[in-house]
Amino acid sequence: MKAALLIVPALAAAPPQWMAAAPGLEAQEANPARIQLPSGLTAMLWEEHDTALIRMEGFLPIGPEEVPAHLPGLPALLLATLEASPKGNRSAAEFQALLDRSGIRLELALDPQGLRLSLACRSRDQELAFGLLGDFLGRTPLDPEALEPQRLKLFRRPSPNEATERFLSTLSGSILIPPPESTLARAGLGDLEILLARVLRPARLRLHIQGGLSPAQATQRLMLDLGAWNPARVDASPAALPVPTDAKVEREGPGELLIAFPPLPPEDAVAALFGILLPSRLEGRGEPGDPWRLPVPGETPQAALANLQSRLAGLTFTEAELKAAKAYWKGRQALLPLDPAAALRSRLRGMPAADAVDRLTHAEFQAALRLLLAKGHRLWRGNAAWLKAAP
C-alpha cells in the first residue's frame, strides 16, 4: 500500500485509463444484518453464502484517559499477559495448539485506539471457532505467573525518540506506546485487572462477521458462546488528559521544529483524499496513532519557523490532482471485494460513502486543508541553547 501511495503525484498529472473506468467497477453490496444480544454485544453480519470461510473482525476501544497517567504503555503489558494466560479450561499453549490443529486463526492485537480482534475459520469449523472465541473473550482470567515473564520480555532501553513518540501519541489519542521502564517496574496484577475489566466488555465490542451464516444462525452461535459473557462492574474511567499544544524535547544534533496535525475520522470524505494526496508532501499517514507531521530543520528557531511558513503556504492541490485522487480512491474501493479480510477491516474501521467523495468540491477540499493546517501542534527538538530561543 505504501508503494502505491508514492505514485500519486504522477497520477494526478495524467490519470491512466483504469482510473477513469473505476466508477463503473464499484461493487454493489447488500446491507448487513444487525444482531443485538441482551448483554449489549452488537454484531454486523455480512452474508456471503458462496464462500467456505467465516471471518470476524472486532474492536475493543481503549481511550487514553483509561490508561493511568503514571503507567503509560500499560495496554501493551496487558495484551502480553492476556495472551500468556489460560483460556477457558486450557493453558495458553494448549489453546494455541488447538487453534493450529484446527486451522483456525484467532488473534488479538494492539491498535492505536484499542484492541483489534481477528478470527478466520472454515465454515465447517464454526462451532469450535465460536466456542474458542467465547473462551478467549469471556473466560480468560489473568495468570499472576505470566506477568513477570512478560514484564521482562517487554523491557527495553528508552528510545531516543521516546519523548517525540509520547507527544505524537497523546496528540492523536493513541494508546500505542511501548511501556517504558517505569511502567514495567510499577505495574502490578491489580492494575492490569482493572484495565482488563474496563475494556473487555460485551457492550464495548464492535464485531463484524462475514460468511455463510444467516442472521438466525449467527445469533444462535453468539448466544451460545458469548451470551453468558458478563464481566464485573467497574468504576467510571478517569478524566481525559489534556492534549499538548506545544512541547520541547532536548536532544543532540541540529535543531528541528515538528508540526503535527491531528488525524481525521476515517469516515470523513476529505480524510480519504488526504490519505492519497498528502503522503508525498508530509511524513506520516494521518491515521489514529500516526498524525500528519512535518519536520522542519533550521539553524535557528526563527529560521525553522520561516521554513515552516513557506512550506505550508505552498501546500495546495489543483482541481486535476483532486479529480485524480478521487478516481484512485474509487479504483482502490473497487478492489476491496478481492480481499475480503481487508474489506471487513475497512467496514469496521469506517470509510466514507462513495457519493460523499464524489460530491466533495475543490473549494471544500482546500478549506478542509486550511483548517487542518491551522490545527497544528508544535514540538521543538534540539539542544538546550536552541530550545531556549524557541518561542
Side-chain angles (χ1 to χ4, degrees):
M1 182 60 70
K2 289 185 178 179
L5 291 175
L6 293 177
I7 66 175
V8 171
L11 296 175
Q17 292 183 352
W18 73 267
M19 269 196 173
L25 296 175
E26 293 179 21
Q28 299 295 320
E29 293 181 312
N31 291 327
R34 188 174 186 272
I35 299 170
Q36 180 82 52
L37 300 191
S39 63
L41 188 152
T42 302
M44 307 300 289
L45 172 66
W46 302 81
E47 292 186 65
E48 288 196 6
H49 295 280
D50 57 347
T51 179
L53 292 177
I54 291 176
R55 295 181 177 88
M56 294 186 214
E57 291 288 334
F59 186 71
L60 288 156
I62 303 177
E65 74 282 356
E66 295 177 302
V67 180
H70 66 289
L71 296 174
L74 188 65
L77 181 58
L78 171 63
L79 177 61
T81 307
L82 186 65
E83 289 179 333
S85 296
K87 280 79 175 173
N89 59 0
R90 300 179 180 89
S91 69
E94 291 170 341
F95 187 83
Q96 186 59 50
L98 180 56
L99 289 174
D100 294 340
R101 290 196 307 270
S102 306
I104 298 172
R105 179 175 59 82
L106 176 56
E107 299 173 349
L108 194 64
L110 199 60
D111 181 271
Q113 293 189 319
L115 294 172
R116 182 168 46 83
L117 171 75
S118 295
L119 184 148
C121 71
R122 293 167 295 192
S123 292
R124 70 187 189 196
D125 297 323
Q126 61 181 269
E127 183 176 350
L128 175 60
F130 274 84
L132 294 177
L133 179 64
D135 286 342
F136 194 85
L137 292 176
R139 295 178 286 279
T140 303
L142 293 177
D143 182 2
E145 295 183 1
L147 176 57
E148 290 306 317
Q150 299 310 312
R151 197 196 303 269
L152 293 174
K153 190 175 179 181
L154 288 171
F155 178 80
R156 66 186 183 98
R157 294 187 181 278
S159 164
N161 295 320
E162 190 163 306
T164 301
E165 293 171 1
R166 183 82 58 84
F167 173 84
L168 292 171
S169 296
T170 306
L171 171 63
S172 61
S174 169
I175 51 91
L176 196 58
I177 305 173
E181 184 179 350
S182 59
T183 294
L184 295 175
R186 294 177 188 173
L189 186 66
D191 297 307
L192 297 179
E193 289 176 335
I194 291 173
L195 182 60
L196 179 65
R198 180 172 291 137
V199 170
L200 203 62
R201 309 184 70 80
R204 291 175 67 115
L205 177 64
R206 289 163 28 205
L207 186 64
H208 281 229
I209 306 172
Q210 179 187 61
L213 291 170
S214 68
Q217 290 172 322
T219 301
Q220 182 182 35
R221 287 259 58 94
L222 289 172
M223 281 296 299
L224 286 172
D225 298 304
L226 289 168
W229 178 19
N230 187 25
R233 296 182 60 182
V234 294
D235 296 333
S237 300
L241 299 175
V243 174
T245 56
D246 204 357
K248 298 180 181 182
V249 176
E250 188 170 350
R251 69 171 193 176
E252 296 181 358
E256 183 181 51
L257 167 62
L258 182 91
I259 184 80
F261 310 102
L264 297 173
E267 61 274 11
D268 193 328
V270 76
L273 300 178
F274 280 164
I276 294 171
L277 290 170
L278 285 181
S280 63
R281 308 280 185 92
L282 298 177
E283 291 190 357
R285 295 180 57 196
E287 295 180 352
D290 190 14
W292 296 114
R293 53 193 186 272
L294 175 63
V296 183
E299 295 298 325
T300 66
Q302 292 74 19
L305 275 174
N307 191 357
L308 172 67
Q309 291 168 356
S310 174
R311 293 176 69 175
L312 292 185
L315 190 61
T316 185
F317 298 95
T318 66
E319 292 247 20
E321 288 174 319
L322 179 61
K323 182 178 179 180
K326 289 182 177 182
Y328 180 75
W329 180 83
K330 290 179 182 178
R332 199 165 57 183
Q333 295 302 107
L335 295 177
L336 273 181
L338 300 181
D339 188 349
L344 203 58
R345 286 192 295 271
S346 296
R347 293 165 182 157
L348 177 63
R349 180 175 178 269
M351 53 185 176
D355 59 344
V357 175
D358 272 334
R359 289 196 308 267
L360 188 68
T361 67
H362 183 255
E364 291 170 339
F365 180 83
Q366 287 297 122
L369 179 59
R370 289 193 296 270
L371 183 61
L372 176 74
L373 301 184
K375 293 180 178 179
H377 298 262
R378 298 184 301 181
L379 176 65
W380 296 90
R381 303 187 290 193
N383 60 47
W386 200 87
L387 291 178
K388 188 175 181 180

